[in-house]
Amino acid sequence: MTEATGETGGQRVTGALQQKLMRRATYASVSVAGALVLLKTGAWLVTDSISLLSTLVDSLLDVAASLVNLLAVRQALSPADREHRFGHGKLEPLAALGQAAFITGSALFLAITAVQRFVTPRPVQQEEVGILVMLTSIAATLLLVSYQRRVVRRTGSLAVQADSLHYTGDLLVNAAVIVALVLWLQTGWTWLDPAFAIAIAAYILITAARIVRGAYDMLMDRELPEEDRRRIVEIVRQHPQVIGMHDLRTRASGPHSFIQLHLELDGRMNLYQANVIADTVETDVANAFPDAEVIIHQDPHGVDDESMPFARVGAEQSSSGT
């Protein structure tokens, strides 16, 4: 019953359901990409369109990237072990970087091929076949992207999000090819086909840059969004015996997050009382961030801590509300 609720509702899921959704998304990605490669190969052989070739190359790289994704997600979801006590989540941004490399390579290949076609233009053949195949590709990709976005909302997976981003780019690529073929039918201008291919290559490069930025942030342990940090501070401040907090540190690793902070409590409180309060706060934060590991340290209020200035944002926000 819990599993069904997780799949149909809008809440973030964890555990076995999270793993199942991520695996399903990777299987769907590989299946769709493989089917589109077969369709586009036939269409390119019939039409000899360089812009259609651009989508074929993109789909071939989609297959490779999706296979990398599938393997990385399977490994990233494996539990922590003695050598990897924080889990294997960093494999997700590594897989995303691999996808970015594939995408960049495809863009450069397309640009070179399009320039060559400018120099030696050739007419497109049987444009109707190419248009029909592109419409089929758009329909299949729309279904895949819709499912991937749903999985990302449930799991927060960076690898699935990266996959979804470049499939979203594929929608525009396929639409651009249809426009190019229709314009060729209307005008007969041979430069349209390579011109659209170059525009597609530029868009693919932009998509690769976005993926690299997200993967870099995770590999470098970038803090969680400011909205999440403010929410953590608000949860901590709700406990009446918490005087303040400092040294709030957060990071993400694949679908998992890590939250660390120091509670400021009355120094006259005994260790047992302090531990009970810390456990309560930890439970509240963990309930709000179910995919996070929460670590809380207790400090007596008023004792100087050698925390770095930027790590004391939580303390300043906490003090302003008391």
Side-chain angles (χ1 to χ4, degrees):
M1 185 69 176
T2 303
E3 186 169 306
T5 302
E7 289 202 50
T8 57
Q11 299 296 321
R12 179 72 65 88
V13 297
T14 58
L17 178 56
Q18 180 188 47
Q19 297 179 18
K20 182 172 73 173
L21 289 174
M22 290 173 64
R23 289 194 179 101
R24 282 182 179 176
T26 56
Y27 295 150
S29 177
V30 172
S31 300
V32 170
L36 292 182
V37 163
L38 296 177
L39 275 176
K40 292 177 181 179
T41 299
W44 171 60
L45 292 174
V46 170
T47 63
D48 194 32
S49 166
I50 188 65
S51 59
L52 202 152
L53 173 63
S54 70
T55 69
L56 170 58
V57 171
D58 193 44
S59 291
L60 283 168
L61 294 171
D62 286 346
V63 171
S66 296
L67 285 172
V68 171
N69 233 22
L70 190 153
L71 296 174
V73 165
R74 287 173 64 91
Q75 186 65 24
L77 291 175
S78 60
D81 54 35
R82 184 178 296 275
E83 288 77 25
H84 307 91
R85 300 299 294 273
F86 290 96
H88 302 82
K90 289 295 178 70
L91 279 171
E92 279 208 50
L94 288 174
L97 287 177
Q99 289 189 44
F102 284 130
I103 295 169
T104 300
S106 70
L108 295 176
F109 171 81
L110 292 176
I112 293 171
T113 307
V115 169
Q116 292 174 342
R117 186 61 63 91
F118 265 121
V119 177
T120 56
R122 293 204 303 264
V124 178
Q125 308 294 327
Q126 299 191 42
E127 303 86 346
E128 296 84 356
V129 174
I131 293 173
L132 179 61
V133 168
M134 288 299 97
L135 288 173
T136 304
S137 298
I138 287 175
T141 306
L142 274 172
L143 291 174
L144 176 63
V145 168
S146 176
Y147 179 67
Q148 286 176 323
R149 288 181 175 177
R150 183 181 176 190
V151 170
V152 170
R153 287 197 299 270
R154 303 292 195 278
T155 66
S157 170
L158 180 65
V160 176
Q161 184 181 31
D163 221 23
S164 180
L165 271 176
H166 79 248
Y167 276 110
T168 301
D170 288 352
L171 289 173
L172 298 178
V173 168
N174 293 334
V177 172
I178 292 175
V179 172
L181 293 175
V182 170
L183 288 176
W184 160 255
L185 275 172
Q186 299 297 320
T187 65
W189 294 340
T190 56
W191 59 267
L192 282 172
D193 194 35
F196 271 84
I198 289 177
I200 290 168
Y203 182 84
I204 291 174
L205 284 173
I206 294 173
T207 301
R210 292 175 182 169
I211 295 173
V212 169
R213 184 167 58 247
Y216 176 81
D217 286 345
M218 184 172 289
L219 288 171
M220 295 301 294
D221 289 332
R222 184 183 179 90
E223 289 282 342
L224 296 182
E226 192 59 33
E227 178 183 352
D228 289 342
R229 287 171 56 83
R230 284 196 297 266
R231 187 181 178 196
I232 294 169
V233 173
E234 291 172 0
I235 292 171
V236 174
R237 284 173 50 189
Q238 289 175 358
H239 197 287
Q241 292 179 283
V242 172
I243 301 175
M245 64 173 286
H246 61 271
D247 209 3
L248 172 60
R249 303 182 187 186
T250 61
R251 67 183 179 92
S253 179
H256 306 293
S257 301
F258 296 88
I259 300 171
Q260 302 177 17
L261 59 93
H262 287 219
L263 287 183
E264 297 177 12
L265 304 173
D266 188 340
R268 297 167 296 181
M269 187 178 295
N270 64 46
L271 179 60
Y272 178 81
Q273 292 173 312
N275 185 67
V276 169
I277 294 171
D279 284 347
T280 301
V281 174
E282 181 177 316
T283 300
D284 292 342
V285 174
N287 288 337
F289 298 87
D291 59 348
E293 177 179 315
V294 184
I295 301 175
I296 293 180
H297 176 77
Q298 308 98 22
D299 284 330
H301 178 63
V303 175
D304 289 337
D305 194 304
E306 296 181 356
S307 302
M308 291 171 284
F310 54 76
R312 295 190 62 85
V313 174
E316 294 168 3
Q317 291 179 345
S318 179
S319 300
S320 65
T322 56

